[in-house]
PDB file of all heavy atoms in Angstrom:
ATOM      1  N   MET A 314      18.421  -0.427  -4.250  1.00 94.00           N
ATOM      2  CA  MET A 314      17.231  -0.666  -3.482  1.00 94.00           C
ATOM      3  C   MET A 314      16.236   0.417  -3.567  1.00 94.00           C
ATOM      4  O   MET A 314      14.996   0.283  -3.705  1.00 94.00           O
ATOM      5  CB  MET A 314      17.570  -1.126  -2.076  1.00 94.00           C
ATOM      6  CG  MET A 314      16.320  -1.563  -1.263  1.00 94.00           C
ATOM      7  SD  MET A 314      16.790  -1.894   0.445  1.00 94.00           S
ATOM      8  CE  MET A 314      15.084  -2.594   0.933  1.00 94.00           C
ATOM      9  N   TRP A 315      16.754   1.649  -3.455  1.00 94.00           N
ATOM     10  CA  TRP A 315      15.738   2.749  -3.413  1.00 94.00           C
ATOM     11  C   TRP A 315      14.964   2.790  -4.693  1.00 94.00           C
ATOM     12  O   TRP A 315      13.677   2.945  -4.671  1.00 94.00           O
ATOM     13  CB  TRP A 315      16.599   4.094  -3.158  1.00 94.00           C
ATOM     14  CG  TRP A 315      15.755   5.322  -3.128  1.00 94.00           C
ATOM     15  CD1 TRP A 315      15.086   5.840  -1.988  1.00 94.00           C
ATOM     16  CD2 TRP A 315      15.588   6.301  -4.171  1.00 94.00           C
ATOM     17  NE1 TRP A 315      14.449   7.020  -2.354  1.00 94.00           N
ATOM     18  CE2 TRP A 315      14.737   7.345  -3.695  1.00 94.00           C
ATOM     19  CE3 TRP A 315      15.945   6.342  -5.478  1.00 94.00           C
ATOM     20  CZ2 TRP A 315      14.342   8.393  -4.428  1.00 94.00           C
ATOM     21  CZ3 TRP A 315      15.574   7.465  -6.269  1.00 94.00           C
ATOM     22  CH2 TRP A 315      14.732   8.478  -5.711  1.00 94.00           C
ATOM     23  N   ARG A 316      15.664   2.652  -5.825  1.00 91.00           N
ATOM     24  CA  ARG A 316      14.913   2.680  -7.136  1.00 91.00           C
ATOM     25  C   ARG A 316      14.042   1.461  -7.260  1.00 91.00           C
ATOM     26  O   ARG A 316      12.943   1.555  -7.791  1.00 91.00           O
ATOM     27  CB  ARG A 316      15.967   2.764  -8.243  1.00 91.00           C
ATOM     28  CG  ARG A 316      16.744   4.048  -8.372  1.00 91.00           C
ATOM     29  CD  ARG A 316      17.603   4.118  -9.621  1.00 91.00           C
ATOM     30  NE  ARG A 316      18.183   5.433  -9.851  1.00 91.00           N
ATOM     31  CZ  ARG A 316      19.192   5.936  -9.302  1.00 91.00           C
ATOM     32  NH1 ARG A 316      19.844   5.122  -8.471  1.00 91.00           N
ATOM     33  NH2 ARG A 316      19.649   7.153  -9.548  1.00 91.00           N
ATOM     34  N   ALA A 317      14.541   0.322  -6.823  1.00 93.00           N
ATOM     35  CA  ALA A 317      13.815  -1.025  -6.911  1.00 93.00           C
ATOM     36  C   ALA A 317      12.555  -0.913  -6.182  1.00 93.00           C
ATOM     37  O   ALA A 317      11.469  -1.330  -6.669  1.00 93.00           O
ATOM     38  CB  ALA A 317      14.628  -2.123  -6.513  1.00 93.00           C
ATOM     39  N   VAL A 318      12.497  -0.337  -4.914  1.00 94.00           N
ATOM     40  CA  VAL A 318      11.255  -0.307  -4.129  1.00 94.00           C
ATOM     41  C   VAL A 318      10.317   0.668  -4.817  1.00 94.00           C
ATOM     42  O   VAL A 318       9.082   0.462  -4.800  1.00 94.00           O
ATOM     43  CB  VAL A 318      11.615   0.125  -2.712  1.00 94.00           C
ATOM     44  CG1 VAL A 318      10.371   0.276  -1.876  1.00 94.00           C
ATOM     45  CG2 VAL A 318      12.479  -0.948  -2.066  1.00 94.00           C
ATOM     46  N   LEU A 319      10.834   1.792  -5.338  1.00 92.00           N
ATOM     47  CA  LEU A 319       9.870   2.778  -6.000  1.00 92.00           C
ATOM     48  C   LEU A 319       9.320   2.071  -7.198  1.00 92.00           C
ATOM     49  O   LEU A 319       8.126   2.257  -7.547  1.00 92.00           O
ATOM     50  CB  LEU A 319      10.639   3.972  -6.440  1.00 92.00           C
ATOM     51  CG  LEU A 319      11.035   5.049  -5.334  1.00 92.00           C
ATOM     52  CD1 LEU A 319      11.963   6.050  -5.850  1.00 92.00           C
ATOM     53  CD2 LEU A 319       9.797   5.649  -4.842  1.00 92.00           C
ATOM     54  N   ARG A 320      10.108   1.357  -7.913  1.00 91.00           N
ATOM     55  CA  ARG A 320       9.611   0.782  -9.226  1.00 91.00           C
ATOM     56  C   ARG A 320       8.534  -0.261  -9.005  1.00 91.00           C
ATOM     57  O   ARG A 320       7.558  -0.268  -9.827  1.00 91.00           O
ATOM     58  CB  ARG A 320      10.826   0.060  -9.967  1.00 91.00           C
ATOM     59  CG  ARG A 320      10.493  -0.496 -11.270  1.00 91.00           C
ATOM     60  CD  ARG A 320      11.704  -1.198 -11.886  1.00 91.00           C
ATOM     61  NE  ARG A 320      12.956  -0.518 -11.753  1.00 91.00           N
ATOM     62  CZ  ARG A 320      14.054  -0.867 -11.051  1.00 91.00           C
ATOM     63  NH1 ARG A 320      14.095  -2.070 -10.520  1.00 91.00           N
ATOM     64  NH2 ARG A 320      15.134  -0.088 -10.951  1.00 91.00           N
ATOM     65  N   ARG A 321       8.568  -0.977  -7.985  1.00 91.00           N
ATOM     66  CA  ARG A 321       7.548  -1.956  -7.710  1.00 91.00           C
ATOM     67  C   ARG A 321       6.236  -1.353  -7.269  1.00 91.00           C
ATOM     68  O   ARG A 321       5.156  -2.108  -7.226  1.00 91.00           O
ATOM     69  CB  ARG A 321       8.090  -2.944  -6.676  1.00 91.00           C
ATOM     70  CG  ARG A 321       8.016  -2.687  -5.221  1.00 91.00           C
ATOM     71  CD  ARG A 321       8.594  -3.702  -4.349  1.00 91.00           C
ATOM     72  NE  ARG A 321       8.339  -3.432  -2.966  1.00 91.00           N
ATOM     73  CZ  ARG A 321       9.198  -3.812  -1.968  1.00 91.00           C
ATOM     74  NH1 ARG A 321      10.339  -4.506  -2.324  1.00 91.00           N
ATOM     75  NH2 ARG A 321       8.935  -3.456  -0.741  1.00 91.00           N
ATOM     76  N   GLN A 322       6.183  -0.053  -6.973  1.00 89.00           N
ATOM     77  CA  GLN A 322       5.001   0.577  -6.625  1.00 89.00           C
ATOM     78  C   GLN A 322       4.142   0.823  -7.783  1.00 89.00           C
ATOM     79  O   GLN A 322       2.897   1.019  -7.718  1.00 89.00           O
ATOM     80  CB  GLN A 322       5.129   1.931  -5.825  1.00 89.00           C
ATOM     81  CG  GLN A 322       6.166   1.834  -4.675  1.00 89.00           C
ATOM     82  CD  GLN A 322       5.719   0.663  -3.697  1.00 89.00           C
ATOM     83  OE1 GLN A 322       4.606   0.496  -3.392  1.00 89.00           O
ATOM     84  NE2 GLN A 322       6.772  -0.056  -3.243  1.00 89.00           N
ATOM     85  N   GLY A 323       4.786   0.929  -8.975  1.00 87.00           N
ATOM     86  CA  GLY A 323       4.011   1.192 -10.170  1.00 87.00           C
ATOM     87  C   GLY A 323       3.529   2.579 -10.286  1.00 87.00           C
ATOM     88  O   GLY A 323       3.700   3.500  -9.417  1.00 87.00           O
ATOM     89  N   GLY A 324       2.826   2.891 -11.405  1.00 83.00           N
ATOM     90  CA  GLY A 324       2.291   4.246 -11.614  1.00 83.00           C
ATOM     91  C   GLY A 324       3.220   5.414 -11.655  1.00 83.00           C
ATOM     92  O   GLY A 324       4.450   5.195 -11.858  1.00 83.00           O
TER      93      GLY A 324
END
Side-chain angles (χ1 to χ4, degrees):
M314 186 181 185
W315 183 81
R316 289 185 172 87
V318 175
L319 284 171
R320 188 183 310 124
R321 80 183 188 211
Q322 309 309 316

